[in-house]
Amino acid sequence: MKNYSESYWSKRAKKYDETSWVKNESFIETFLDMISDKSFSNILEVGIGTGAVANIMTSRKGALTGIDISKEMIDQIKNDKITPIVANAHDLPFEENTFELIYMRNVIHYLEKPEKVFSEIHRCLKPGGTYLFSQVVPPNDNISSEYDWLIGRNIHYPTKNEILELFSLFKKINHNDFLLENQSINNWLENTCQNEEKRKEIIDRHRKTSEEYRLMANYRDVTDDIFVSIRHFMVSGEK
Ligand SMILES: C[S@@+](CC[C@H](N)C(=O)[O-])C[C@H]1O[C@@H](n2cnc3c(N)ncnc32)[C@H](O)[C@@H]1O
């Protein structure tokens, strides 16, 4: 996991918002609709990045605090309603029972100990507080190893079952699948992978995928790009 520490994010920060899913409004709206009936007086985002979700969250629910390991990522945030703090999700710098809502999108595949981060989030939530979570997952738990190989980053993308196990600390679990359709592999690689050889290798891996993956991901190989649907698992729970 060392490769994906602060220095990795400091290099990605300036171009991060150009990856097409990051600011996709229907994705963020669907995520935030899971808590549309509630209001919260104290909100924390863990792994806030450049504030793509937080900008919409502040317009719906008001001011919030965000922590991230990368100063360069949070330096991209331009929103007076967000208080950014450089901190590690494994050791949240807050008292217990502080927040009414804590949320996190697409961070756990970069974490050394996801279970420690979930227990930190649980500790910092007020009793009855809400934890809202979204994460890219393989199209089906059964093809988890193929998916990890395909993405080519030497990291594990958690399955839906693994995520639900992490949620065993929480009550009143709700979940949704969300499909980001027609996602360009070129757009993703151009903004996330600087090494041309590696980009070619990952395109090649896509061309070697199983029929099972292709069906589930609505795989389309056109002249100069590949398009797939990317599955996100959205979960909410309460302390
Ligand atoms: C894929 S980005 C997601 C950013 C944002 N949540 C979003 O959905 O746009 C992952 C973020 O997690 C942050 N991150 C990675 N490891 C972290 C850690 N241990 N503690 C806090 N943030 C971390 C990275 O710096 C990066 O901003």
Side-chain angles (χ1 to χ4, degrees), residues 78-111:
K78 308 276 177 265
N79 183 333
D80 293 345
K81 289 187 174 161
I82 299 173
T83 306
I85 299 172
V86 177
N88 191 328
H90 293 86
D91 192 11
L92 293 175
F94 307 105
E95 299 283 310
E96 61 188 37
N97 306 333
T98 301
F99 296 98
E100 288 184 0
L101 169 67
I102 302 184
Y103 69 100
M104 179 163 84
R105 179 181 78 162
N106 245 14
V107 179
I108 64 166
H109 48 310
Y110 297 111
L111 297 173

Side-chain angles (χ1 to χ4, degrees), residues 24-227:
N24 181 306
E25 279 183 22
S26 72
F27 178 13
I28 298 175
E29 303 280 349
T30 306
F31 183 43
L32 302 193
D33 281 351
M34 290 184 75
I35 50 163
S36 58
D37 54 334
K38 295 182 181 168
S39 58
F40 306 95
S41 64
N42 209 356
I43 303 174
L44 174 70
E45 177 164 358
V46 175
I48 188 170
T50 56
V53 179
N55 286 329
I56 298 184
M57 182 69 92
T58 55
S59 65
R60 285 190 177 201
K61 308 281 183 196
L64 60 89
T65 301
I67 70 104
D68 200 284
I69 195 113
S70 164
K71 179 176 181 312
E72 286 80 2
M73 288 293 276
I74 61 179
D75 279 351
Q76 308 299 314
I77 299 173
K78 308 276 177 265
N79 183 333
D80 293 345
K81 289 187 174 161
I82 299 173
T83 306
I85 299 172
V86 177
N88 191 328
H90 293 86
D91 192 11
L92 293 175
F94 307 105
E95 299 283 310
E96 61 188 37
N97 306 333
T98 301
F99 296 98
E100 288 184 0
L101 169 67
I102 302 184
Y103 69 100
M104 179 163 84
R105 179 181 78 162
N106 245 14
V107 179
I108 64 166
H109 48 310
Y110 297 111
L111 297 173
E112 252 166 77
K113 294 186 181 155
E115 60 294 341
K116 168 78 165 91
V117 173
F118 270 59
S119 85
E120 276 294 272
I121 288 170
H122 190 269
R123 180 183 68 76
C124 294
L125 266 181
K126 288 188 174 166
T130 300
Y131 178 26
L132 179 67
F133 170 93
S134 181
Q135 173 62 33
V136 62
V137 289
N140 179 311
D141 284 12
N142 298 337
I143 62 156
S144 160
S145 329
E146 180 180 0
Y147 196 70
D148 291 347
W149 164 82
L150 172 64
I151 304 297
R153 291 189 172 163
N154 214 14
I155 54 181
H156 175 56
Y157 284 73
T159 64
K160 295 202 306 189
N161 266 332
E162 286 165 356
I163 291 167
L164 289 174
E165 262 175 47
L166 289 166
F167 262 92
S168 56
L169 285 175
F170 296 86
K171 301 179 289 202
K172 299 189 182 169
I173 308 298
N174 276 313
H175 53 82
N176 266 338
D177 280 29
F178 180 81
L179 264 197
L180 276 163
E181 290 174 353
N182 282 318
Q183 299 298 297
S184 154
I185 296 302
N186 280 348
N187 166 275
W188 168 62
L189 288 175
E190 274 157 22
N191 293 302
T192 59
C193 179
Q194 281 152 359
N195 178 326
E196 199 181 332
E197 280 310 300
K198 187 74 189 166
R199 288 205 293 264
K200 282 189 188 146
E201 185 192 329
I202 293 175
I203 300 261
D204 194 46
R205 288 186 185 196
H206 276 77
R207 299 210 157 107
K208 290 181 179 150
T209 44
S210 65
E211 201 50 39
E212 193 183 4
Y213 168 77
R214 289 177 181 220
L215 275 174
M216 287 186 294
N218 300 316
Y219 179 98
R220 247 176 353 106
D221 195 340
V222 295
T223 323
D224 51 4
D225 204 351
I226 294 170
F227 293 88

